[in-house]
Amino acid sequence: MCFGRCARCIGCKLLVLALLSIAANILLYFPNGETRFASEHHLSKYVECLHGILGGGLLVLIPAAVFIGLHNDDCCGCFGHKNCGKSCAMLSSVLAACVGILGSGYCIIISALGLSQGPYCFTHVERNWIYPFTQSSGGYLLEYNEWSKCQEPQNIVQWNVTLFSILLVLGGIEFILCSIQIVNGILGGVCRLCCGSDEVKYVCHI
């Protein structure tokens, strides 16, 4: 498999991951499918950071589109040398991969912080909207009996833990794939991505 096809493979995977990330972030805004908590600003501050929509979503869609486009074999090259054009294209994909790493890294960090702090919810003990698990530093994740502290929205702890965990995993996979493309892009650029009988090939396992 040539460098360009490997890049396209990575791009297709990033495209799916970015769309899933956007969907997961949108779901965070609507606990149990209800819209009133978002309109009343009764959501965790980390939900409003758009880490799935902006970080793991839009900023990852950019390199995904670039990588998928690298599979096209219609480079004009420079000064009539097609290989030179392909080499520049592969090296430019490294910059796009860096954008993806920034986006996925942002998604990872905010997801981890969201899991650590816990949800913003109404508790009968305090009779107010608070972060009841802030002091636990993420320890509440294993203390299931404490989850009942949150009375509203219903099942908000499960909702947040599930979606933040999904975003954390998606961001991690995106980060790894973009890192692989940095190596792939540098190798493809330096080795002058070739076509036909002179094609430089290697196996790309993802």
Side-chain angles (χ1 to χ4, degrees):
M1 186 181 292
C2 73
F3 296 105
R5 292 195 182 96
C6 184
R8 183 175 186 274
C9 177
I10 293 174
C12 290
K13 287 178 170 57
L14 286 176
L15 177 62
V16 175
L17 292 170
L19 294 177
L20 290 175
S21 182
I22 291 173
N25 199 162
I26 291 174
L27 287 174
L28 275 172
Y29 273 89
F30 308 109
N32 304 314
E34 299 182 51
T35 60
R36 62 189 179 94
F37 301 110
S39 61
E40 296 170 358
H41 302 289
H42 287 156
L43 296 173
S44 167
K45 62 181 179 181
Y46 291 114
V47 172
E48 300 177 349
C49 287
L50 301 177
H51 59 297
I53 296 175
L54 178 60
L58 297 180
L59 288 181
V60 172
L61 284 176
I62 294 172
V66 172
F67 301 162
I68 292 173
L70 287 176
H71 183 60
N72 297 327
D73 293 330
D74 57 356
C75 287
C76 295
C78 46
F79 302 105
H81 298 286
K82 181 181 289 187
N83 290 344
C84 177
K86 287 177 178 270
S87 177
C88 292
M90 288 300 294
L91 289 175
S92 67
S93 74
V94 174
L95 297 177
C98 290
V99 173
I101 283 181
L102 289 176
S104 58
Y106 176 65
C107 185
I108 292 171
I109 292 172
I110 298 300
S111 297
L113 290 173
L115 284 172
S116 176
Q117 185 178 57
Y120 183 64
C121 62
F122 181 84
T123 65
H124 285 324
V125 176
E126 299 290 338
R127 303 297 298 176
N128 198 4
W129 289 84
I130 61 172
Y131 291 96
F133 306 114
T134 301
Q135 302 302 321
S136 70
S137 300
Y140 76 96
L141 293 170
L142 300 177
E143 299 172 355
Y144 308 117
N145 59 316
E146 296 293 321
W147 291 8
S148 60
K149 286 182 178 180
C150 286
Q151 299 297 314
E152 194 175 2
Q154 289 186 345
N155 303 314
I156 186 59
V157 180
Q158 294 91 323
W159 188 270
N160 272 25
V161 168
T162 299
L163 292 174
F164 272 121
S165 297
I166 289 174
L167 285 166
L168 183 64
V169 172
L170 291 175
I173 297 174
E174 290 171 345
F175 189 92
I176 292 172
L177 289 176
C178 287
S179 299
I180 292 175
Q181 179 53 29
I182 288 179
V183 176
N184 180 58
I186 292 175
L187 290 176
V190 172
C191 296
R192 298 287 183 88
L193 180 61
C194 302
C195 299
S197 59
D198 297 325
E199 185 174 59
V200 179
K201 297 182 177 180
Y202 76 116
V203 178
C204 174
H205 295 290
I206 301 177

